[in-house]
Amino acid sequence: MRFFKPVKSFKDVNVAIEVFAELSASRLSKIMGFPLLELEIAEKDGKLGLLMDHLPDKANENVLNIDKLRAALAFEEVILNIDLKEEHILAKENVAYIIDHGHSFNAWKPLYYIQEIIDKKVSRFNLWSNREKFMEGVEMINSIDEKNVLEVLRDTAEEVYHYNFCKLFDRKAVEETVDLSFRIFRYRKRILPSLF
């Protein structure tokens, strides 16, 4: 069974940046090995949105992939996900996934707020993690070449631009979003060990 999450319909550049953040988090997690759902842009009943697997259950510490989930705390921190909470950990067949990354990177954050939180732990839920598992997540992130991260960010921004979620997400906004997201990733990657 699949779940369709329609994109917000009001005119704000952050609507497109939110889609970018959701897709980028999903794609980066795949190459790094963290438990996020694969997302794709789709249309349903004339509306654009994100299509993903349906997760019927709330997750807990007894899920089969608890170690990957615990390590994923490092991923949530490196992408500056200010909206990680226990309600965003759902499961299917006792395998857990982290959902809702629409407040990652620079989505819905003015620059002054990013500057205020850039050096701080931002996760509101610790994914049942501990220092050892968090550091395993740091190693998973460090194992990926930053050029691959930049490529994912660029490709994702181009796809979001192509779907024209918001006319304010123009070429300049695409470049700024990719640049700022990559800067956030690189900086947070350097300070990750201090964020547990």
Side-chain angles (χ1 to χ4, degrees):
M1 181 180 223
R2 305 280 273 163
F3 175 76
F4 179 77
K5 177 181 175 180
V7 172
K8 295 174 179 82
S9 59
F10 51 91
K11 295 178 182 177
D12 187 312
V13 71
N14 279 293
V15 171
I17 296 172
E18 178 179 343
V19 174
F20 164 82
E22 289 263 20
L23 289 170
S24 294
S26 171
R27 292 167 181 176
L28 290 172
S29 73
K30 185 175 181 181
I31 63 173
M32 293 179 190
F34 295 111
L36 276 68
L37 291 176
E38 287 189 43
L39 308 177
E40 61 186 83
I41 298 173
E43 186 177 337
K44 181 178 179 183
D45 301 325
K47 288 190 159 197
L48 284 174
L50 295 173
L51 190 63
M52 63 200 82
D53 284 342
H54 173 69
L55 302 172
D57 305 315
K58 185 177 179 204
N60 60 45
E61 288 183 79
N62 298 316
V63 293
L64 297 173
N65 62 334
I66 188 64
D67 287 340
K68 282 198 174 205
L69 199 62
R70 288 174 172 153
L73 183 60
F75 180 74
E76 298 298 312
E77 287 292 344
V78 81
I79 65 171
L80 203 64
N81 183 11
I82 61 171
D83 198 29
L84 176 64
K85 50 191 169 190
E86 193 168 358
E87 295 80 27
H88 290 168
I89 318 303
L90 299 177
K92 180 178 181 178
E93 298 174 4
N94 207 28
V95 176
Y97 300 89
I98 307 166
I99 65 162
D100 201 351
H101 291 84
H103 287 85
S104 300
F105 297 109
N106 63 316
W108 300 105
K109 299 178 190 86
L111 190 54
Y112 74 85
Y113 182 60
I114 293 172
Q115 290 172 330
E116 183 180 314
I117 65 173
I118 195 72
D119 293 311
K120 299 175 182 170
K121 181 182 186 308
V122 296
S123 299
R124 295 188 282 166
F125 177 61
N126 73 359
L127 291 174
W128 305 287
S129 195
N130 56 44
R131 178 88 181 154
E132 177 187 355
K133 291 299 173 191
F134 182 84
M135 291 308 293
E136 284 179 21
V138 170
E139 288 305 313
M140 292 166 72
I141 292 164
N142 287 336
S143 72
I144 303 302
D145 190 323
E146 287 183 0
K147 290 178 188 173
N148 293 343
V149 173
L150 183 56
E151 183 178 338
V152 167
L153 296 176
R154 282 184 178 144
D155 291 348
T156 304
E158 284 298 320
E159 183 178 355
V160 172
Y161 174 78
H162 169 77
Y163 276 96
N164 196 24
F165 289 100
C166 175
K167 293 193 184 316
L168 298 173
F169 194 66
D170 58 13
R171 280 281 161 212
K172 183 177 180 192
V174 166
E175 291 171 17
E176 288 173 354
T177 299
V178 170
D179 180 60
L180 186 51
S181 297
F182 189 56
R183 285 177 187 224
I184 288 169
F185 177 86
R186 290 182 74 197
Y187 183 77
R188 298 281 288 179
K189 179 181 168 185
R190 282 197 304 274
I191 66 166
L192 262 181
S194 70
L195 296 176
F196 186 83

